[in-house]
Amino acid sequence: MSAVADLFRPLLGARCLTDEDSLKRYGVDWTKVWAPAPSAVLLPESTEEVQAIVRLANEHRIALVPSGGRTGLSAAAVAADGEVVVAFDRMNKVLDFSPFDRAVTVQPGVITQQLQEFAEQQGLFYPVDFASAGSSNIGGNIGTNAGGIKVIRYGMTRDWITGLKVVTGKGELLDLNKGLAKNATGYDFRHLMIGSEGTLGFVVEATVKLARQPDNLTVLVLGAPGFREVMRILHAFQSKIDLTAFEFFSDKAMSHVLAHGVARPFDGEAPFYCLLEFEGSSDGVMNDAMALFEDCVEKGWVLDGVMSQSLTQASQLWQLRERISESISIYTPYKNDISVTVAKVPDFVEEVDAIVQANYPDFEIVWFGHIGDGNMHLNILKPADLPKEEFFARCNNVSKWVFEIVEKYNGSISAEHGVGRTKKAYLGYSRSPEEIALMKAVKAAFDPNGIMNPGKIFDL
């Protein structure tokens, strides 16, 4: 039993964990770069316990790392240096629902899919969605301002949070915005907390607004001869139809998914594919979609395609996109989650692709992403005969080249997974020295002793 654990055991008893299995399970995320090495794992059940933990940590200058679903890709939830992990597994309740406000109040450990299912039970819809929705937590979604597959229509997590309760680095409880739709009373600290990766405070409650359920979601999967044709397809459909999603993936991504057991959507093959989703709420919309499809084929932008005829088939077509990460995971992929404005996407992708291919022709590059909002996922697969350490060392050079191009195009080095530890050294490619200095000043105001998820986003 560690001396650090002894400090918290009187507060939490058996919910202060120090066994080897727990220490390996927590303090880690999907990056798998750093080995978890927390000194203890704490499982609070109430806001009051979180406050007590933070105050005790302040008194003894103990670093705290928040832990949710641990599905992040930036190492923001990693505890590799003896920190104490505060895991929100037991703070997983739906606390309140207001049908008039179409809003639900939840604890941070509520799983994203659980919130989606609760909304559906009320005849409503929570639109923030992604492949890890079955295991990611709302607290982590808020910490990274998660986006996902429907941003083109519904926006990011930030757009759906109307209230937050947060325990700051001082142990104070802030009740931010209180679920209001309109509030013009100065600084909105709610938006500082969203995307702060737990470096300013820990979310203990969130009020989330909900939307009406979409009507007859319909999916099109189209094969395109080139990336610029994908962009022309996007522009054509957006001119007539309000899309709820527009995803793209390369032929290499398609081949891995098909090898993973997903059914081929149509007989033909193409260098690039796009997946469009929209509400087929009327005959007029469906007629417009079919006319657009036929026009794109006539212009040579589409080589082949399929439209879902049922919600079941729509779900099956989504597997082509949502199972890409799973299908390439066996190759120890090096991932980059980057964004530029939509208009710059074709030139940006071509430039990145060219520099990686020129320097590492033996690396397989798999592109996919949320092209409708300018967010691309660059995945480089490790050759089977290359040791993991050497592969990641060589990929660090890739990061520098990619982020230089990101800076050139005024983009973001992290579109939706945060900065964490993995992108901390590259923050300057997206943020000015003046911005970073102000971020550090904000950190000092909310967390003067630097105990809240230290070493993430930037170093003090």
Side-chain angles (χ1 to χ4, degrees):
M1 186 184 303
S2 72
V4 170
D6 288 343
L7 292 171
F8 295 98
R9 201 170 296 279
L11 174 66
L12 298 177
R15 290 180 286 118
C16 175
L17 310 178
T18 55
D19 62 283
E20 186 175 351
D21 286 346
S22 295
L23 296 181
K24 287 181 178 179
R25 177 185 172 195
Y26 294 92
V28 70
D29 65 6
W30 283 0
T31 54
K32 310 297 183 186
V33 176
W34 291 272
S39 57
V41 177
L42 309 181
L43 295 169
E45 294 181 343
S46 68
T47 294
E48 292 74 19
E49 286 186 345
V50 175
Q51 286 186 274
I53 288 167
V54 173
R55 288 167 179 161
L56 194 57
N58 250 309
E59 182 181 347
H60 295 276
R61 301 296 193 269
I62 296 169
L64 302 175
V65 174
S67 179
R70 299 178 290 283
T71 60
L73 292 171
S74 66
V78 166
D81 301 308
E83 303 97 329
V84 169
V85 171
V86 182
F88 291 94
D89 300 38
R90 298 199 180 195
M91 294 180 67
N92 60 356
K93 297 179 179 62
V94 174
L95 300 175
D96 189 34
F97 171 66
S98 170
F100 297 103
D101 294 298
R102 294 205 301 195
V104 57
T105 300
V106 298
Q107 292 181 308
V110 167
I111 294 171
T112 309
Q113 185 176 327
Q114 180 187 350
L115 176 58
Q116 293 169 338
E117 291 171 351
F118 177 87
E120 187 175 354
Q121 291 163 9
Q122 314 307 317
L124 296 169
F125 181 58
Y126 180 60
V128 180
D129 196 13
F130 29 76
S132 63
S135 51
S136 71
N137 290 2
I138 294 300
N141 297 171
I142 292 168
T144 57
N145 188 28
I149 58 178
K150 298 183 188 292
V151 170
I152 188 174
R153 173 73 175 273
Y154 294 105
M156 307 281 280
T157 296
R158 179 184 307 281
D159 299 297
W160 296 91
I161 304 300
T162 60
L164 284 178
K165 286 187 179 179
V166 179
V167 175
T168 72
K170 297 179 182 180
E172 300 166 335
L173 179 64
L174 301 182
D175 190 355
L176 304 175
N177 198 58
K178 302 175 182 177
L180 296 172
K182 300 179 78 173
N183 182 3
T185 54
Y187 305 142
D188 192 343
F189 292 131
R190 168 186 44 148
H191 289 298
L192 271 179
M193 296 298 167
I194 299 169
S196 66
E197 303 179 36
T199 61
L200 305 179
F202 293 164
V203 172
V204 291
E205 279 185 28
T207 300
V208 185
K209 68 179 180 178
L210 304 175
R212 68 164 179 85
Q213 287 187 341
D215 183 17
N216 188 31
L217 285 176
T218 302
V219 172
L220 270 168
V221 174
L222 308 175
F227 194 79
R228 292 185 182 274
E229 284 76 16
V230 170
M231 302 304 295
R232 293 184 180 113
I233 294 167
L234 170 63
H235 181 69
F237 272 83
Q238 279 190 311
S239 69
K240 290 277 189 178
I241 295 175
D242 291 326
L243 300 175
T244 54
F246 190 96
E247 302 286 303
F248 92 105
F249 43 99
S250 67
D251 56 346
K252 291 185 174 65
M254 173 70 89
S255 66
H256 285 291
V257 170
L258 296 179
H260 212 63
V262 179
R264 181 181 292 277
F266 41 75
D267 292 336
E269 297 183 355
F272 289 95
Y273 298 87
C274 53
L275 182 153
L276 301 76
E277 182 187 75
F278 60 92
E279 292 186 73
S281 54
S282 68
D283 289 342
V285 173
M286 297 301 287
N287 290 338
D288 282 344
M290 186 54 65
L292 287 163
F293 168 70
E294 292 171 353
D295 185 55
C296 288
V297 170
E298 186 177 327
K299 290 177 176 174
W301 301 346
V302 169
L303 301 176
D304 205 346
V306 62
M307 181 185 291
S308 64
Q309 301 301 310
S310 67
L311 292 177
T312 298
Q313 188 183 9
S315 178
Q316 291 169 346
L317 290 173
W318 263 113
Q319 296 299 303
L320 293 164
R321 167 60 181 85
E322 292 190 329
R323 294 185 65 182
I324 295 173
S325 290
E326 177 186 350
S327 70
I328 65 175
S329 63
I330 58 174
Y331 299 99
T332 315
Y334 167 81
K335 294 173 171 285
N336 246 317
D337 160 43
I338 47 188
S339 68
V340 295
T341 56
V342 175
K344 298 175 182 176
V345 166
D347 291 338
F348 175 79
V349 169
E350 287 179 3
E351 197 164 333
V352 170
D353 203 63
I355 197 167
V356 178
Q357 292 282 17
N359 287 276
Y360 297 119
D362 53 331
F363 287 176
E364 181 180 349
I365 301 173
V366 176
W367 284 100
F368 63 91
H370 321 297
I371 200 74
D373 55 44
N375 174 197
M376 285 75 64
H377 296 293
L378 167 64
N379 297 260
I380 303 174
L381 308 191
K382 185 182 80 64
D385 58 349
L386 187 65
K388 185 174 77 170
E389 293 74 19
E390 183 180 346
F391 173 67
F392 281 115
R394 292 170 71 181
C395 284
N396 281 334
N397 291 329
V398 173
S399 281
K400 185 175 185 299
W401 299 330
V402 169
F403 295 151
E404 286 173 349
I405 300 171
V406 168
E407 184 178 36
K408 171 183 171 182
Y409 283 88
N410 292 318
S412 172
I413 62 166
S414 181
E416 57 182 2
H417 283 284
V419 178
R421 291 179 67 148
T422 60
K423 295 190 174 182
K424 178 172 60 174
Y426 308 107
L427 183 61
Y429 288 101
S430 288
R431 297 289 195 145
S432 69
E434 293 80 9
E435 286 179 291
I436 295 172
L438 286 170
M439 287 184 189
K440 292 180 178 181
V442 170
K443 166 78 168 170
F446 282 93
D447 179 27
N449 291 321
I451 65 165
M452 305 298 269
N453 212 10
K456 313 298 167 53
I457 305 180
F458 47 71
D459 289 319
L460 294 174

